[in-house]
């Protein structure tokens, strides 16, 4: 069920995906990118492959969960048109993930997209003070290009597989002839992580030649830094009391 | 699998939905409305999206679980024709919920329905003596109209999302051009709650300009009130013993 | 995926269903009926709605799990042709149960079946020495006819709903214009129960005017009776020791 | 979604299947066979019936999970052309297992395959020093032929059913007129078991008249043997301390 706001024509656009996942890094980054670039929504996907859920805003107005596609037109010589995918959920089932990803790739591909960036978090299972951006890609060329922007392609991380939309866009995208990069901000995995989203957006801004004002994200990141700091202090105390332990659980 | 009892023609009908859910408030209210208004069943939906279950009545006759559509013809100037959806279950899976809701909306829409009320319970997690009716809606106009009938649109409740049929009818209904309101009776969430259904029906009666004799529901509500009262007394005792605790669990 | 052994023409046949379930009563009874009447298989259903499983016999030969349809031709004036459904599993999912039941009903209906008996167990949660046969049916006529054969239509049992194939054949069968009876042998629910299957077959034999030699089933039943007897002795001992309790679990 | 590398024509080929499962025996064996015989990939199956997952290699290149079909051309008079199925996962759901197996059988059948070997592990629940190869098959002829190669068709093992791809290829294969054998290497079920895969490959090599150099697998097997040895020593100690028990769990 695709609802079109507008039939837009883009020139050689790049698809950028950021859906909920580990530390919500991908969603935070893609939502922020879309807002900062003042991208325009052109299509909304409702689907039985998403949960049967509506959100209610402060006034009492509802909104059915969805995937949204926004576009951004290049404003300078080195910029490129962008299609930005944001959404409330990944597909509810394995099959749903495939079908939704395939639907978006089909739309983006018809609009001329031959490149894709997917944004995600990578759970390290411990606090990360200066999150690196790890990468995975569909070609050696992409890997080399990303290394120059500081992306880490490590033998160790991610060791093995990526489950979910950010990996699937790369894998299925190849069947559409799309070359793609997954940018994964390191994160503890314990809480929503704007610091990690910030790291991802710094790389993405360079890759897309767009300037992303990170001020608003930075203030969110500082809030979370404080929570992380308390977390860290507790970790390093000799023996946490049982109350402290409960506190930790609460933060998590 | 839709079985038609009767092909009825209605004039500008309003769809009213009440399926099982939190405190069974929606189902209690819609079933009661249908019975009180002596609405007539015109269609039965059997579906593989419902559980493979039959009910057996006291005589031994079976009935396959279903959704039923009933109609009520307006009896006065300010009244409107009604389509009332009642049923035994919501869809068994997320996809099933979408498909069943979509099917009902398709039918109601073809019959001319452009408005919908969904009835539900809202779990507060604690006993509620005088349940308020909380609202969510698809337009500012509906919100304002409902506020005049005493419906509460609070910043706090429901904080976030509604999962299930009552929300989905609003969300998917919008795609059918339907304007809708969800009426949620506050309830503890601990037991079936006719008191909350009563509160919902009081608002709904005003909204639909129909008189609903609540006598029968009131007597059910008083029974539950007594159970709730015992529950409350236990909660306020200094320190419950372990036996009392087990008792509480039993009531729940 | 229906494999036909034989395209048979039957005269006004009755469908008899018995699939695995509570105490395996339905399966025991239907398998026994088929064997005793020397019914002939005429169709095998393989389906992705069943588990992806093969059985291996003592020689090492495999057999894919399936539903099988057997026929029996009436041998006397009061007898009727029979279609007997036996199988290894009920459908793996709710949707699968609907689809498989619908498929069998479609086949049986095309062959002229307008009546159906489903065989099942009814779990009482305690040992049952002389299992009654409880009933549920699609019409008052069937209920009265069954009462004459000793079937119990009680206000209390089954209180509420029947989940699974035996109920679904009744419910979906009605949409095929089929009149049906579910015969439920009381059983503890703790183990496979040939005693209960025997009770069901006694009623069924009378209803179908076929003689069913129960000797082989009786000897199985006596084995289980002995286990049940030990179980009962343990239940009535003053306070079971922890070892005895483990023993009980083991029997269960 | 089948991607063809090459449209190959084979002569009376035999299908060999080895997917992940108990002790990963089937996958180890099929992957090793493919590598040793230097088989050539001719088709890749991507499917929404597999998990939505990509693997990332050491360089950072991704690969979407898949099933791969490889071919090997007979190099001598007694050899036969082979189609080897390897893959990352079995289907995610019961239905998915049926659909994927059916797809592969359809392809192999169109290429002329009328015989199939499936490779699997059989979990014994205890350490197995000299794993036997157990068998199951679709015909007496296959059973007799396999017995001559040392395959054990025991009354006891496998007692009952085989769940998953290796059994399903036999069962569904019969519907394609394919005669098949399942070779199951005994394994503890506690860890990945190259020793068991080795046993399976020894039999398979004889059955297919191909020479399989087992050197590389043997060195892997020896590593695991050492772990198994430590495991065994712990099992035979008088009473393991609680730390030792945790250690066992860790190894498992």
């Amino acid at each position: 069920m695709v609802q079109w706001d507008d039939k837009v024509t883009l020139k050689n656009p790049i698809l950028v995906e950021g859906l909920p996942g580990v530390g919500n890094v991908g969603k935070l980054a893609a939502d922020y990118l879309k807002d900062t670039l003042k991208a325009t929504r052109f299509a909304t996907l409702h689907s039985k492959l998403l949960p049967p859920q509506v959100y209610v805003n402060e006034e009492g107005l509802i909104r059915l969960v969805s995937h949204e596609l926004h576009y951004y037109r290049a404003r300078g010589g080195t910029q490129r048109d962008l299609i930005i995918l944001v959404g409330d959920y990944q597909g509810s089932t394995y099959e749903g993930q495939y079908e939704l990803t395939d639907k978006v790739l089909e739309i983006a591909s018809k609009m001329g997209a031959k490149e894709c960036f997917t944004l995600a978090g990578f759970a390290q299972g411990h606090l990360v003070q200066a999150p690196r951006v790890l990468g995975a890609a569909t070609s050696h060329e992409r890997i080399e290009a990303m290394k120059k922007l500081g992306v880490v392609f490590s033998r160790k991380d991610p060791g093995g597989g990526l489950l979910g939309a950010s990996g699937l866009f790369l894998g299925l995208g190849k069947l559409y002839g799309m070359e793609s990069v997954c940018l994964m901000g390191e994160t503890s995995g314990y809480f929503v992580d704007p610091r990690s989203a910030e790291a991802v957006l710094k790389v993405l801004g360079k890759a897309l030649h767009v300037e992303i004002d990170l001020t608003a994200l930075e203030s969110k990141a500082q809030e979370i830094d404080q929570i992380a700091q308390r977390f860290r202090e507790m970790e390093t105390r000799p023996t946490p009391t049982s109350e402290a332990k409960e506190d930790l659980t609460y933060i998590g």
Side-chain angles (χ1 to χ4, degrees), chain A:
Chain A
M1 291 184 244
V2 184
Q3 282 190 296
W4 297 95
D5 296 290
D6 208 356
K7 289 277 177 187
V8 292
T9 306
L10 299 176
K11 193 181 153 193
N12 192 18
I14 297 172
L15 175 62
V16 179
E17 175 268 348
L19 292 172
V22 177
N24 237 14
V25 174
K27 179 169 172 54
L28 282 174
D31 282 353
Y32 196 85
L33 179 74
K34 162 192 76 101
D35 291 339
T36 303
L37 297 186
K38 298 191 170 61
T40 309
R41 194 184 70 191
F42 66 92
T44 306
L45 277 83
H46 300 293
S47 171
K48 63 181 185 181
L49 308 168
L50 295 172
Q53 186 180 338
V54 295
Y55 286 108
V56 186
N57 75 3
E58 294 198 345
E59 294 170 286
L61 286 175
I62 64 93
R63 181 177 70 73
L64 184 58
V65 297
S66 64
H67 279 190
E68 289 183 358
L69 289 166
H70 297 253
Y71 71 91
Y72 166 81
R73 285 199 197 281
R75 285 174 199 158
T78 53
Q79 287 194 4
R80 292 267 294 279
D81 286 356
L82 302 178
I83 298 171
I84 304 169
L85 171 69
V86 297
D88 301 302
Y89 283 98
Q90 298 197 18
S92 311
T93 62
Y94 278 5
E95 285 193 53
Q97 295 231 0
Y98 269 91
E99 290 181 26
L100 278 171
T101 300
D102 193 58
K103 187 71 196 162
V104 171
L105 284 168
E106 190 197 317
I107 292 173
S109 190
K110 279 187 186 166
M111 293 175 77
K114 280 172 194 146
E115 291 175 53
C116 176
F117 283 89
T118 67
L119 315 180
F122 185 77
Q124 289 291 23
H126 57 79
L127 290 173
V128 179
Q129 269 185 293
R132 298 176 300 165
V133 176
L134 306 173
T138 54
S139 71
H140 286 291
E141 291 69 28
R142 298 281 141 167
I143 291 171
E144 292 313 312
M146 287 301 115
K147 278 183 180 167
K148 285 178 190 149
L149 303 179
V151 178
V152 177
F153 291 83
S154 141
R155 297 211 160 198
K156 222 183 102 222
D157 295 321
L162 304 174
L163 193 69
S166 286
L168 196 55
F169 268 89
L170 271 65
L172 277 183
K174 273 177 79 176
L175 306 182
Y176 281 89
M178 233 179 254
E179 293 294 347
S180 313
V181 171
C182 178
L183 299 175
M184 291 165 276
E186 286 185 309
T187 179
S188 63
Y190 302 153
F191 31 69
V192 164
D193 193 345
R195 179 65 70 207
S196 179
E198 204 177 47
V200 165
L201 283 174
K202 277 178 188 166
V203 169
L204 186 68
K206 286 186 236 164
L208 300 177
H209 306 285
V210 293
E211 208 157 316
I212 305 170
D213 177 353
L214 293 168
T215 317
L217 195 60
E218 175 59 28
S219 76
K220 271 198 205 172
Q222 281 171 8
E223 277 176 43
I224 299 288
D225 280 351
Q226 284 172 13
I227 296 174
Q229 180 58 27
R230 279 171 45 205
F231 199 99
R232 205 170 287 123
E233 285 165 15
M234 284 163 184
E235 281 193 328
T236 52
R237 278 183 206 162
T239 312
T241 65
S242 65
E243 296 99 60
K245 264 181 184 160
E246 278 180 42
D247 222 24
L248 287 177
T249 311
Y250 171 72
I251 291 167

